[in-house]
Amino acid sequence: MDSARDLLVALARRYSFGDVGALAPAVLKDPETASLVNSVCEFGRLLLTLDAEDFTADVDPRAVPADLRRRASDCHMPQTPKEQPRGALESMRPAYALLLEVIEIRWARRELSAMIAAVHIASEYLPLLAFEPALGHGGDPARWPEALNGPESRFGAIGDRTCRHTKAEQSAAERTLRVAAEPGTGWRAYLDRQHSQVAGALATCAARCGNPCSALSWVPDPDDLTLRCRVALAFAQSPLVRLRHAAPVGHGFGVPSAEEVLDAWGRSRTALDKNPVGHQAVTDDGFPLPGLPSLISAVAGSPVVPGVLLADLSDHLVSLVRR
């Protein structure tokens, strides 16, 4: 490494956006270039930390090319009921491509707490990915099928003891049926606290309900959806995802080692390999957690592969540093 600029390039290749942004003003002689680099680094930090509500906030169009901004927008959670485009609520697949890329990067950097946190997020919303082919969107509360709130539906019926939903899921389900009429503050609070519970509630309807109501009467192939949701729920209870709950993340101890992560994933693969969808977890697809992209693709019913959004952003950052 011959110069401080080479160091910035190396850090950019490692997705160390915070370090590059902090060092750029001292290394780059041109203040305008340093400012652009700092803007790109902030954008990269938001993507790497999966701060989906801010992916499109205050992005300097001079710093980040339109294609990268558009691809990030595809992963963005809209902050009002009527915001357009709908981002991840249009389709969850781009967000899962980013999640897989983040998991891959965190593994390479041995940032295992952050990696397990990303795995946990993937598990929470996986039922929405399973429902997407039937819904035609990524679980947008502004576009739920009418039958979900129909006269024979118990979805969102608080206190109904014939429904297998927990109290928290019943509350979230009731809220999701009306949140599209709420102001932006209510919408954002719902997305932060309850949307993942709705994902779980839908999976319970499809995979665990022994006394079905009319909530899912609109689903064209219920048997296929049941199987994929069953696997999504099993993944959420797998040893790998449970690492998130076992480790007191943020307290400086109890962080799983790479060996513990691989062991937990190995046990998860065995537990999931009970049906044709779960069997995809034992695929050797070259991912650091082998079979995870294949499993997610099987639950989604269509291919979901690790994205290259952060890789392309890193390349763009390197080009700016080398100006």
Side-chain angles (χ1 to χ4, degrees):
M1 194 171 296
D2 298 326
S3 68
R5 193 180 295 262
D6 291 336
L7 174 61
L8 288 187
V9 169
L11 290 170
R13 294 291 188 203
R14 284 184 49 80
Y15 308 97
S16 300
F17 297 113
D19 292 334
V20 175
L23 294 172
V27 174
L28 303 177
K29 295 180 180 179
D30 179 14
E32 183 177 354
T33 299
S35 177
L36 293 175
V37 165
N38 191 63
S39 294
V40 172
C41 288
E42 176 59 16
F43 184 64
R45 184 193 66 79
L46 292 173
L47 291 173
L48 190 59
T49 57
L50 299 168
D51 193 353
E53 65 185 41
D54 292 326
F55 283 171
T56 60
D58 301 323
V59 179
D60 187 344
R62 299 173 305 150
V64 182
D67 175 64
L68 297 179
R69 298 199 311 272
R70 178 193 58 76
R71 288 156 61 190
S73 178
D74 289 342
C75 306
H76 167 70
M77 276 291 186
Q79 296 301 287
T80 68
K82 296 182 180 180
E83 180 182 326
Q84 295 292 337
R86 299 303 282 167
L89 294 182
E90 182 64 39
S91 173
M92 294 293 289
R93 289 192 295 273
Y96 270 82
L98 176 61
L99 272 167
L100 288 170
E101 186 181 17
V102 167
I103 290 168
E104 199 167 25
I105 289 169
R106 295 298 195 184
W107 174 262
R109 291 166 57 92
R110 288 301 188 265
E111 295 170 344
L112 299 180
S113 291
M115 190 200 82
I116 293 299
V119 169
H120 182 257
I121 292 171
S123 74
E124 285 192 308
Y125 293 96
L126 194 55
L128 294 182
L129 202 61
F131 265 84
E132 187 169 316
L135 283 169
H137 56 80
D140 190 341
R143 292 186 285 170
W144 290 130
E146 290 184 9
L148 208 59
N149 195 26
E152 303 299 321
S153 172
R154 295 193 297 273
F155 190 83
I158 295 177
D160 190 327
R161 296 186 178 182
T162 62
C163 178
R164 287 202 59 174
H165 292 159
T166 64
K167 290 182 179 179
E169 287 174 338
Q170 286 183 346
S171 177
E174 189 275 335
R175 179 84 179 278
T176 198
L177 296 174
R178 58 180 172 82
V179 72
E182 294 188 20
T185 52
W187 171 268
R188 290 187 290 275
Y190 161 81
L191 289 179
D192 286 343
R193 301 169 192 156
Q194 293 183 296
H195 196 52
S196 62
Q197 292 177 322
V198 169
L202 285 169
T204 295
C205 288
R208 290 178 175 169
C209 184
N211 185 23
C213 65
S214 65
L216 300 187
S217 59
W218 48 274
V219 174
D221 189 349
D223 290 341
D224 173 65
L225 181 61
T226 292
L227 180 57
R228 290 186 289 112
C229 282
R230 188 174 294 146
V231 173
L233 291 171
F235 178 67
Q237 297 300 317
S238 68
L240 178 67
V241 176
R242 287 204 301 269
L243 285 178
R244 170 65 170 167
H245 304 291
V249 176
H251 293 278
F253 59 92
V255 176
S257 67
E259 292 75 16
E260 289 171 327
V261 170
L262 290 175
D263 176 70
W265 177 232
R267 289 184 283 119
S268 300
R269 297 172 88 187
T270 300
L272 290 163
D273 187 15
K274 306 297 184 186
N275 56 59
V277 174
H279 178 68
Q280 297 306 308
V282 302
T283 303
D284 187 2
D285 51 20
F287 197 69
L289 299 177
L292 183 58
S294 298
L295 176 71
I296 289 174
S297 296
V299 171
S302 61
V304 180
V305 299
V308 292
L309 176 55
L310 282 160
D312 290 346
L313 185 68
S314 172
D315 289 342
H316 172 61
L317 181 57
V318 168
S319 70
L320 287 177
V321 169
R322 284 177 169 166
R323 272 189 182 180

